[in-house]
C-alpha cells in the first residue's frame, strides 16, 4: 500500500554552429541539466495520498550566445484522490513552484488543482478538471545575445514567468473491451505570455508580450482492430488561440492537427508507422516575414515516421533495439519563418533495464 519512487537525470549538451554572432566561429555553448524527483504514494481503501518534491538545476558555461549563467526550479506537491462512492472519484491537489535565476528576480506561485471522474455505468466515464499553472522563463529566453540572419537578439532580465488557468471536460468510452473513444473540450487562459518581438531599436528580444486564450476540442479513437497484428490510434485536435488584447489569432499556432499511428507485431519484431498532419500557420510575424526572404512561405505539414523494434536478451539482461526513420518521405515544410523543419533522419537506439 506504499510506494516510494526516486528518479534522477543528468544531461550534458554542447553545440557549435556557423551562424554569425560577431565571431568567425559562430555560436557555441556547453550546458548541463540535473533533474530529480522523490515521490511517496500511500494507498488506502477509499483514497490515495501522493506527496513529492522535484527540482531542476540548469547551468550554461563556455557560451558566446548565452553567457555563463545558472538557474533552478523547485516544487513541492500534495494530491489526494478519494472514491466517495463507486461511481465518483475526486482528486484535489496543491503544488508550490519556485524559480530562481542569476540576474533575474525569483518568483513563486501556489497552484491548486481539482478534478472529478463520474462513471454512470460500466466502461463509460465523464471527467472534469480545473487547475492553475506556472512556467518559468528558460535561460535561453532570458540571456540569448547574438546576431543571426541580420537580426540582433538581445537579452531580457526583466522576464517574469507565464501564468495559466486550465479547464477540461471530457468523456471516455470502451467498446467491447477493444476500442476506446475519448473526447474532450479544453480551455487555457495565459498571462505574461513569452514570445520574441521587435524592440523600437529594431533588435529582437523575448518579452512578456500579452495575455491569451486558447480553447478547443480533441477526439481520439484507439484499439486493437486485429489483435497483435493491427493496433490503430486516430487523433484530431482543433485549437483556437487568440490574443486577448487584439483579438487576433496567435502567431505560429496551427489550428488543426491530425495524428494516425499504427502498430503491428510479427514476433519478435514490432513495427510502428506514424503520420501527422499540421495545418499551416494562420498567423506569422509580419515584421520578420517582410525582412526574411520568402518569410511568408508556409505549407501544411504531412510527416511520416517509421520504427522497428527488436527485443532480445544477452545472458539474463533484457535489451531493446529500435531503428527509426523520422520524416521518412522527406517532406519539406517550415517550422518557423525561414526555418526548414528537419528532413529525413535515421537513429538507432539501444535500451536496457535492471
Amino acid at each position: 500500500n506504499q510506494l516510494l519512487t526516486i528518479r534522477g537525470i543528468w544531461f550534458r549538451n554542447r553545440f557549435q554552429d556557423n551562424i554569425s554572432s560577431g565571431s568567425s566561429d559562430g555560436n557555441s555553448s556547453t550546458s548541463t541539466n540535473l533533474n530529480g524527483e522523490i515521490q511517496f504514494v500511500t494507498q488506502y481503501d477509499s483514497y490515495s495520498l501522493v506527496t513529492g518534491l522535484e527540482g531542476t538545476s540548469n547551468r550554461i558555461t563556455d557560451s558566446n550566445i548565452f553567457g555563463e549563467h545558472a538557474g533552478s526550479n523547485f516544487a513541492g506537491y500534495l494530491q489526494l484522490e478519494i472514491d466517495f462512492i463507486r461511481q465518483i472519484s475526486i482528486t484535489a491537489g496543491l503544488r508550490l513552484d519556485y524559480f530562481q535565476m542569476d540576474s533575474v528576480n525569483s518568483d513563486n506561485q501556489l497552484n491548486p488543482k481539482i478534478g472529478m471522474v463520474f462513471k454512470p455505468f460500466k466502461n463509460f466515464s465523464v471527467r472534469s478538471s480545473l487547475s492553475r499553472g506556472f512556467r518559468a522563463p528558460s535561460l535561453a529566453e532570458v540571456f540569448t545575445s547574438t546576431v543571426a540572419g541580420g537580426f540582433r537578439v538581445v537579452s531580457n532580465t526583466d522576464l517574469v514567468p507565464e501564468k495559466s488557468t486550465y479547464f477540461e471536460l471530457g468523456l471516455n468510452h470502451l467498446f467491447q473491451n477493444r476500442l476506446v473513444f475519448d473526447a474532450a473540450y479544453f480551455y487555457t487562459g495565459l498571462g505574461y505570455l513569452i514570445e520574441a518581438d521587435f524592440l523600437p531599436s529594431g533588435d529582437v528580444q523575448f518579452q512578456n508580450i500579452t495575455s491569451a486564450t486558447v480553447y478547443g476540442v480533441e477526439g481520439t479513437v484507439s484499439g486493437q482492430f486485429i489483435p497483435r497484428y493491427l493496433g490503430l490510434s486516430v487523433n484530431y485536435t482543433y485549437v483556437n488561440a487568440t490574443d486577448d488584447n487584439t483579438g487576433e489569432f496567435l502567431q505560429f499556432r496551427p489550428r488543426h492537427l491530425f495524428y494516425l499511428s499504427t502498430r503491428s507485431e510479427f514476433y519478435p519484431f514490432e513495427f510502428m508507422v506514424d503520420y501527422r498532419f499540421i495545418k499551416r500557420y494562420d498567423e506569422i510575424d509580419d515584421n520578420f516575414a517582410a525582412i526574411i526572404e520568402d518569410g511568408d512561405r508556409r505549407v501544411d505539414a504531412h510527416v511520416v515516421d517509421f520504427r522497428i523494434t527488436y527485443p532480445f536478451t544477452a545472458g539474463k539482461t533484457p535489451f531493446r533495439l529500435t531503428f527509426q526513420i523520422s520524416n521518412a518521405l522527406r517532406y519539406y515544410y517550415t517550422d518557423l519563418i525561414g526555418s526548414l523543419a528537419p528532413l529525413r533522419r535515421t537513429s538507432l537506439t539501444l535500451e536496457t533495464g535492471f
Side-chain angles (χ1 to χ4, degrees), residues 43-48 80-85 88-90:
Q43 179 74 48
Y44 293 95
D45 290 338
S46 60
Y47 71 90
S48 63
L80 179 65
E81 182 175 334
I82 305 174
D83 294 322
F84 283 100
I85 58 177
I88 298 177
S89 63
I90 292 180

Side-chain angles (χ1 to χ4, degrees), residues 151 252 280-299 333-340:
F151 296 104
F252 306 112
R280 57 172 281 174
Y281 300 134
D282 284 39
E283 297 291 337
I284 60 175
D285 192 314
D286 293 331
N287 293 318
F288 283 103
I291 300 173
I292 297 176
E293 184 178 359
D294 295 326
D296 60 345
R297 298 287 294 275
R298 56 195 190 275
V299 298
Y333 67 101
T334 56
D335 51 9
L336 289 173
I337 286 183
S339 172
L340 191 65

Side-chain angles (χ1 to χ4, degrees), residues 16-294:
Q16 184 168 357
D17 60 36
N18 59 1
I19 299 175
S20 172
S21 61
S23 168
S24 59
D25 296 330
N27 297 315
S28 63
S29 178
T30 300
S31 62
T32 57
N33 170 276
L34 181 63
N35 181 273
E37 181 177 14
I38 299 176
Q39 183 183 91
F40 183 68
V41 181
T42 302
Q43 179 74 48
Y44 293 95
D45 290 338
S46 60
Y47 71 90
S48 63
L49 178 66
V50 181
T51 58
L53 297 170
E54 65 175 311
T56 300
S57 175
N58 299 291
R59 181 174 295 275
I60 298 176
T61 59
D62 189 25
S63 173
N64 64 352
I65 180 174
F66 306 119
E68 296 189 6
H69 297 282
S72 55
N73 304 306
F74 300 98
Y77 56 87
L78 171 71
Q79 179 172 290
L80 179 65
E81 182 175 334
I82 305 174
D83 294 322
F84 283 100
I85 58 177
R86 185 172 62 87
Q87 291 91 354
I88 298 177
S89 63
I90 292 180
T91 300
L94 282 175
R95 176 186 172 98
L96 177 62
D97 284 280
Y98 170 82
F99 104 98
Q100 65 85 27
M101 186 183 298
D102 63 65
S103 306
V104 178
N105 293 328
S106 61
D107 201 352
N108 66 86
Q109 179 172 293
L110 185 64
N111 300 306
K113 167 188 174 181
I114 186 167
M116 182 183 72
V117 177
F118 174 51
K119 300 178 180 178
F121 47 86
K122 185 179 179 181
N123 296 334
F124 181 83
S125 64
V126 179
R127 68 183 183 274
S128 64
S129 64
L130 177 65
S131 60
R132 187 163 68 174
F134 175 97
R135 187 186 80 84
S138 68
L139 290 170
E141 288 171 330
V142 174
F143 295 114
T144 296
S145 179
T146 187
V147 177
F151 296 104
R152 176 177 174 81
V153 184
V154 297
S155 61
N156 184 4
T157 56
D158 293 325
L159 277 179
V160 300
E162 292 180 350
K163 311 289 179 72
S164 64
T165 301
Y166 180 79
F167 171 76
E168 179 178 326
L169 178 64
L171 59 88
N172 183 283
H173 186 43
L174 173 63
F175 295 92
Q176 300 180 347
N177 295 321
R178 289 181 56 185
L179 190 65
V180 177
F181 171 75
D182 190 278
Y185 166 83
F186 56 88
Y187 168 92
T188 303
L190 292 166
Y192 306 102
L193 185 65
I194 299 175
E195 289 193 351
D197 201 1
F198 280 96
L199 296 173
S201 63
D203 295 336
V204 177
Q205 183 185 63
F206 284 96
Q207 303 171 43
N208 297 103
I209 62 168
T210 189
S211 60
T213 299
V214 180
Y215 67 87
V217 292
E218 181 177 29
T220 302
V221 178
S222 60
Q224 291 290 325
F225 288 83
I226 303 177
R228 288 190 55 190
Y229 295 109
L230 180 59
L232 188 66
S233 177
V234 180
N235 174 275
Y236 168 74
T237 304
Y238 168 81
V239 181
N240 188 78
T242 56
D243 187 311
D244 290 342
N245 297 323
T246 65
E248 296 180 352
F249 202 83
L250 291 181
Q251 299 170 1
F252 306 112
R253 264 76 170 185
R255 191 184 293 266
H256 303 276
L257 301 98
F258 176 81
Y259 295 88
L260 173 66
S261 298
T262 64
R263 176 176 175 175
S264 301
E265 291 185 34
F266 293 91
Y267 183 83
F269 297 98
E270 182 179 74
F271 298 88
M272 286 156 282
V273 179
D274 300 329
Y275 163 77
R276 62 185 182 274
F277 165 81
I278 304 173
K279 185 66 177 176
R280 57 172 281 174
Y281 300 134
D282 284 39
E283 297 291 337
I284 60 175
D285 192 314
D286 293 331
N287 293 318
F288 283 103
I291 300 173
I292 297 176
E293 184 178 359
D294 295 326

